Amino acid sequence: MSTPTRIAKLTLDDKTYDVPVMSPTAGPDVLDIRKLYAQADVFTFDPGFTSTASCESTITYIDGDKGELLYRGYPIEQLAEQSHHLEVCYLLLYGELPTAAQLQDFENRVTRHTMVHEQMHNFFRGFRRDAHPMATMVGVVGAMSAFYHDSTDVNDPWHREVSAIRMIAKIPTIAAMAYKYSIGQPFVYPKNELSYSANFLRMCFAVPAEDYVVNPILEKAMDRIMMLHADHEQNASTSTVRLAGSSGANPFACIAAGIACLWGPAHGGANQACLEMLREIGTVDRIPEFIARAKDKNDPFRLMGFGHRVYKNFDPRAKVMKESADEVLNLLGIHDNETLKVAKELERIALEDPYFVEKKLYPNVDFYSGIILEAMGFPTSMFTPIFALSRAVGWIAQWKEMISDPAGKIGRPRQLYIGAAARDYTPVSAR
Ligand code: ACO
């Protein structure tokens, strides 16, 4: 628990109040206003939480001005280059890089939980075939609490641990099943000899009639997508998981809530929206028309895959993702694809355009991830489910941190009420 490093003074009318200031390991100082309402009878107003720290956390740190992202202190570029997703999962969950023995034990535990309860196959069959895989995932992940209720006691550390492993192990299986179901193919069971990312690719692309041999470059690219999306501070979906969990709800239900939040086009849904936008633009000569629309205040259109609430320099994940995109496209011999040409030209124009430069709108991670996923053979509807399965570890790590925080309370924001003041009811005959 942080202790105040100095005191700020707030003067309101003729009274002055002490507001403790807390200093983080990195980032701006934080005003502790927890006692403000009790002392001064005022709330603070911060729609969209642009200036509000909602919790203490030790997991992820972003410096938006420097374009820096750290998982437990380690720069994302180093992890993307030298680590792999399951090691990053261990790091995010337990706070330190594992020893070789710890890593092996963790990998064994995750690998031995990749299958889902056979009854879940029937549960899937209740969905319409044409359901969006995100809709299916929200439902199936939420339903995990019905299938795995022996690990839903949030006050039991062992239950929390088992749920975390189950979540990380089973979510790729669930995402792959959602995909297979949507295209009318049989589910493919996980294969434990494969890596986490190769296993996911195989569950998506193998069929009983023909196995799928995973190319190591695609395996590495998928692993990187997972690592780069693994956690991202108190973003909308993570805050949703924490808020849902603050009431004591079980982790599967909380993560289903996070998946629902992630689905929106301003958040995880942006990778699907971005590729659809690139296709809608269609040819390079139409780019100026779309740039003009993005700048027009009266047009709700935004350039998908551009801009970020926190990154105001560049998104470090986008840099790594761009390298991966080049590797994958080279491997697959995709050079003259029209969508890719539009993406490259759009990026070039937007980076030079004063509107985007002044507003610090840079390509974000979603701008490039969709290009890679499309090249791998995924339909756009699978882009956000892949984001969700990658983020599962971040959500569960943040949920665990929240549950074990002694200062934790149910999340319950207040409001600036601007509706009618108290008034008397009039019967309908008198209105
Ligand atoms: N295209 C055009 N203009 C934009 C864009 C964009 N993509 N993003 C922001 N702007 C403009 C806004 O119109 C606003 O202009 P104004 O100051 O003249 O009113 C200004 O830039 C600031 O934008 P805000 O919406 O206030 O910034 P906020 O931090 O709330 O939004 C967000 C960030 C939601 C990511 C936004 O940039 C956006 O909608 N981007 C497109 C969707 C997207 O790619 N989302 C993925 C985010 S990354 C992730 O979830 C993994």
Side-chain angles (χ1 to χ4, degrees):
M1 187 74 203
S2 308
T3 46
T5 49
R6 58 189 203 280
I7 301 291
K9 301 276 181 196
L10 173 76
T11 304
L12 193 63
D13 301 327
D14 54 352
K15 284 201 179 135
T16 298
Y17 303 93
D18 284 351
V19 180
V21 182
M22 315 226 263
S23 297
T25 322
D29 283 353
V30 168
L31 300 178
D32 179 354
I33 53 143
R34 278 175 293 181
K35 297 217 167 81
L36 194 62
Y37 173 50
Q39 289 171 348
D41 199 27
V42 287
F43 297 143
T44 55
F45 183 56
D46 185 19
F49 310 120
T50 53
S51 302
T52 296
S54 59
C55 59
E56 283 184 326
S57 185
T58 59
I59 304 175
T60 301
Y61 174 70
I62 304 171
D63 187 323
D65 293 326
K66 280 203 246 163
E68 180 179 71
L69 168 62
L70 309 176
Y71 289 168
R72 301 281 190 186
Y74 295 101
I76 190 66
E77 294 87 347
Q78 290 182 23
L79 294 169
E81 191 56 42
Q82 299 171 52
S83 186
H84 58 90
H85 185 62
L86 277 187
E87 185 175 63
V88 163
C89 288
Y90 185 101
L91 175 68
L92 290 171
L93 277 176
Y94 306 113
E96 295 297 335
L97 286 168
T99 62
Q102 286 168 331
L103 182 59
Q104 196 185 6
D105 172 61
F106 180 70
E107 286 182 341
N108 280 343
R109 281 192 292 146
V110 171
T111 309
R112 296 273 136 69
H113 282 84
T114 50
M115 278 170 56
V116 295
H117 195 293
E118 198 63 15
Q119 189 75 12
M120 269 196 157
H121 292 217
N122 298 338
F123 186 77
F124 264 92
R125 295 201 163 89
F127 288 98
R128 277 174 61 136
R129 283 275 174 201
D130 57 358
H132 193 289
M134 278 300 274
T136 312
M137 280 190 75
V138 173
V140 176
V141 171
M144 282 177 80
S145 44
F147 288 94
Y148 302 103
H149 46 76
D150 57 342
S151 64
T152 50
D153 178 357
V154 301
N155 298 314
D156 182 331
W158 180 243
H159 278 219
R160 300 203 293 264
E161 177 64 19
V162 173
S163 303
I165 298 291
R166 280 178 167 159
M167 196 72 242
I168 295 164
K170 293 183 201 305
I171 198 163
T173 313
I174 291 171
M177 287 170 81
Y179 174 51
K180 286 298 200 190
Y181 187 74
S182 73
I183 56 170
Q185 289 186 2
F187 300 136
V188 175
Y189 286 90
K191 209 172 192 179
N192 287 354
E193 72 206 41
L194 297 177
S195 72
Y196 191 81
S197 61
N199 188 35
F200 173 66
L201 287 170
R202 186 181 162 276
M203 286 191 289
C204 289
F205 295 125
V207 287
E210 202 172 304
D211 207 359
Y212 173 81
V213 181
V214 185
N215 183 300
I217 294 185
L218 299 189
E219 178 182 356
K220 184 176 150 209
M222 178 52 74
D223 192 77
R224 272 189 164 180
I225 288 177
M226 291 169 169
M227 267 192 283
L228 293 176
H229 286 91
D231 196 42
H232 214 224
E233 241 201 32
Q234 307 309 320
N235 58 83
S237 56
T238 302
S239 296
T240 302
V241 170
R242 278 186 179 257
L243 194 57
S246 74
S247 72
N250 77 71
F252 304 120
C254 298
I255 288 180
I259 296 174
C261 177
L262 185 77
W263 194 359
H267 192 10
N271 52 13
Q272 170 169 355
C274 177
L275 207 86
E276 285 166 359
M277 175 195 76
L278 295 175
R279 286 198 191 130
E280 193 195 341
I281 297 175
T283 48
V284 168
D285 57 304
R286 294 191 65 209
I287 293 176
E289 177 196 326
F290 283 81
I291 296 263
R293 283 187 60 195
K295 292 197 246 177
D296 182 354
K297 279 239 162 285
N298 300 316
D299 189 329
F301 174 78
R302 285 187 165 197
L303 276 192
M304 286 292 138
F306 277 80
H308 196 273
R309 167 62 62 80
V310 185
Y311 294 121
K312 299 298 174 198
N313 184 331
F314 63 92
D315 179 342
R317 303 167 303 169
K319 250 184 167 177
V320 180
M321 200 66 93
K322 191 177 180 189
E323 277 171 35
S324 269
D326 289 338
E327 272 175 37
V328 169
L329 296 170
N330 277 338
L331 170 81
L332 301 174
I334 303 172
H335 302 294
D336 55 355
N337 169 306
E338 205 55 48
T339 315
L340 188 65
K341 276 194 213 158
V342 171
K344 287 200 162 154
E345 187 58 10
L346 184 64
E347 180 196 19
R348 192 191 65 76
I349 295 177
L351 288 178
E352 287 173 3
D353 189 298
Y355 173 92
F356 291 89
V357 174
E358 275 155 29
K359 293 191 187 299
K360 301 185 174 174
L361 299 170
Y362 294 86
N364 58 48
V365 67
D366 290 326
F367 188 71
Y368 302 104
S369 61
I371 294 170
I372 304 179
L373 293 173
E374 190 194 36
M376 282 177 173
F378 285 104
T380 49
S381 60
M382 274 305 285
F383 293 3
T384 318
I386 290 170
F387 189 160
L389 78 88
S390 312
R391 182 57 57 85
V393 62
W395 288 329
I396 201 92
Q398 300 267 355
W399 173 83
K400 279 180 90 186
E401 184 177 66
M402 188 252 333
I403 294 283
S404 13
D405 182 350
K409 273 179 188 294
I410 186 167
R412 204 320 186 169
R414 302 304 295 258
Q415 62 178 4
L416 171 61
Y417 178 67
I418 52 167
R423 49 184 167 164
D424 289 327
Y425 176 81
T426 42
V428 70
S429 55
R431 276 176 237 153

